[in-house]
Amino acid sequence: DAAGKGGFDVVLGNPPWELINLEEKEFFEGKDEAIVNAQTGAERKRLIEQLQKNNPPLFQAYRVALFEAEALSKFLKYSGNFPLSSSGRINLYSVFAEKDRRLISPTGRAGIIVPTGLATDYGNRNFFSYLVSTRQLVSLYDFENRKKIFADVAGNMKFCLLTLQGTENVSKQPIKFAFFLLSADDLQNEEKVLELAPEDFALFNPNTQTCPIFRSRSDANLMRKLYQQAPVLINEKTNQNPWGISFKQGLFNMTSDSHLFRTRKQLETLGFELHGNIFTQGEQVYLPLYEGKMFYHFNHRWASYEDSKTVNCTEKELQDINFVSFPRYWVSQNQTIQRLSGKEIINLLVFRDIAGSMNERTGVFCEIPLYAVGHKAPIINIEKNKESELMILSNLNSYIWDYCLRNKIGGVSVSYFILMQTPVFKDEKYNFQLRCCILPKLFELIYTAWDMQPFANRLWQESAPEMRQLYLEQRTSNYQANPEGIGNLTPKGWENRLDAYECPFPPFIWDEERRFQLRCDLDALFGHLYNLTRDEFAYILETFPI
């Protein structure tokens, strides 16, 4: 090139979609089935170490493969050739895409087939935001593989057609997007193809500048409105965290911490006694290890393990205030407290890490007792009191907020960076009148069993007398609707115990009809808070399979 501007006019590619990290199960597939089928990560590592004696050639091949993967990872990270795509867990498609961008001439274009995670995943945030800010991104058309465009790729895999342009072709034209396409013919549907400007990414994802996922133009317009009503939960650009929120990965990794887990049979053999769902022997205590599949919205007893499989708890079981869910494993209470840094914690606010935008619900948040939790049930810590914690919970469990979340998830994980960039009202939005409307309903939805009594006591202690009176009225209403539900426990004297240090009444009785109405009331309230019209709210509900 006479002007010294080299590069290709056209670059086309379908790069490999592979993580650099060596996957042990994948490597040993067809080589050693015992390692592949190991029940825990600790067991798998032990079997691998035994290969030094049992099968030295296979062990050596594994070590070589591990070395090659680590060497390639270090080259990509530190060579300086891939500054935008080599952070975190590196996937080859990202570095190939960055290389393709550099290969095109100033007037050239590149067309690449890559997973949609290039635009939505945290690890690709630097590369994608660069493409947007430099306006080198022309279009991104996202497809689901349900019609098997790629025959050997899973049907739930999402990929996109990514078009890039050289630096001399850039303009201020909006970037074209389309999501959840099933075939190329869907691109002819004008409602599915939408345009986004760089400022839109700053509105929807100010921290990462990654791409939201909209099914239609209508979704994009409605999301703009929702983001104009409430700020993002945590804005790292402006250093704003009005709720004082921090996230903590679940306390125990289900693979690397498996050596700490005990089964019911093991504990019973050791002489431990079961009280509810907690094992004790002298001063030793083993707590249930809660997993995400065991809880749901406002229900810490959603499912229980039976024969290593979860079974949804029945309405009859939930109506029993003594009923508890049973886990697969138990963990030492001392280990649990240690993982919580020894802080005085009454209960945990957790959510399901594993989710998807096509599920019945995507965001699932719940208050649970102070139990051990697996790593796929992250914890939300809030600096404020229990009342404020419940305001956050009511917002996050609403259909409207869940709709926002569904428009931001490209994979199967509710990551911290996604949560931080969702529109959540600030504490000051909830004046005393709103709290009086919300908190009694949440109290009934959450306090349904004796294992949540510490939570009830703490909320009672922190509440004003006026709020305590509302709690008593809520419990009285619940009792009147279920007079046989609490056996010999009667409401006598509740009205005279506003000054009690602990919550003076037993758990609320589970009542499906009442709970449905309470949740409808809360969702309707958030419809008003987000300033939605009836038609907008109806549209949001229609996007859920309900």
Side-chain angles (χ1 to χ4, degrees), residues 17 145-146 148-159:
W17 308 353
N145 198 42
R146 282 190 280 163
K148 288 294 183 177
I149 297 174
F150 292 100
D152 297 328
V153 176
N156 62 353
M157 183 66 188
K158 293 173 68 66
F159 65 91

Side-chain angles (χ1 to χ4, degrees), residues 140-147 149 158-159 161 177-189 192-193 215:
L140 186 153
Y141 299 135
D142 160 75
F143 291 80
E144 291 181 301
N145 198 42
R146 282 190 280 163
K147 289 190 174 181
I149 297 174
K158 293 173 68 66
F159 65 91
L161 305 182
F177 291 89
F179 298 95
F180 296 99
L181 305 177
L182 298 179
S183 70
D185 292 340
D186 290 341
L187 288 170
Q188 305 305 313
N189 186 339
K192 285 185 173 291
V193 180
R215 294 179 180 274

Side-chain angles (χ1 to χ4, degrees), residues 22 66 86 106 145 243 279 287 295 311 316 318 328 376 409 416 460 462:
L22 180 67
L66 188 63
S86 59
N145 198 42
W243 289 97
F279 276 101
L287 300 175
F295 59 83
V311 177
K316 184 177 181 180
L318 293 171
R328 278 193 295 176
K376 292 300 183 181
I409 286 189
Y416 300 155
W460 182 267
E462 295 179 350

Side-chain angles (χ1 to χ4, degrees), residues 17 20 24 41 113 131 170 172 193 212 215 368 374 405 422 426 462 483 499 516:
W17 308 353
I20 298 299
E24 293 173 347
I113 302 175
L131 295 177
V170 298
K172 293 187 177 181
V193 180
R215 294 179 180 274
I368 68 170
L405 181 66
T422 54
K426 294 181 179 180
E462 295 179 350
D499 60 346
F516 177 74

Side-chain angles (χ1 to χ4, degrees), residues 313-435:
C313 300
T314 66
E315 184 176 356
K316 184 177 181 180
E317 289 172 330
L318 293 171
Q319 289 171 344
D320 180 359
I321 59 179
N322 296 298
F323 173 76
V324 291
S325 290
F326 283 89
R328 278 193 295 176
Y329 306 110
W330 281 258
V331 182
S332 164
Q333 183 182 61
N334 290 337
Q335 284 282 350
T336 303
I337 300 298
Q338 182 179 336
R339 296 288 173 99
L340 290 169
S341 303
K343 296 179 180 178
E344 182 191 0
I345 295 176
I346 301 301
N347 69 289
L348 303 174
L349 174 55
V350 295
F351 65 93
R352 290 186 181 183
D353 175 273
I354 301 299
S357 60
M358 301 299 290
N359 294 356
E360 180 176 321
R361 292 293 297 268
T362 300
V364 176
F365 297 78
C366 187
E367 297 274 1
I368 68 170
L370 181 54
Y371 293 153
V373 288
H375 69 289
K376 292 300 183 181
I379 301 167
I380 299 179
N381 296 311
I382 300 177
E383 293 178 356
K384 300 178 183 290
N385 60 17
K386 282 295 174 189
E387 287 191 2
S388 295
E389 184 172 300
L390 293 186
M391 294 300 99
I392 281 282
L393 177 62
S394 62
N395 198 158
L396 300 184
N397 271 346
S398 69
Y399 269 108
I400 299 171
W401 183 88
D402 203 348
Y403 167 79
C404 296
L405 181 66
R406 292 162 86 89
N407 279 290
K408 309 195 72 146
I409 286 189
V412 294
S413 177
V414 182
S415 303
Y416 300 155
F417 84 93
I418 295 175
L419 288 180
M420 290 163 60
Q421 298 176 117
T422 54
V424 179
F425 293 109
K426 294 181 179 180
D427 195 12
E428 53 262 33
K429 181 74 172 182
Y430 301 99
N431 56 32
F432 189 70
Q433 182 181 7
L434 272 178
R435 288 175 183 256

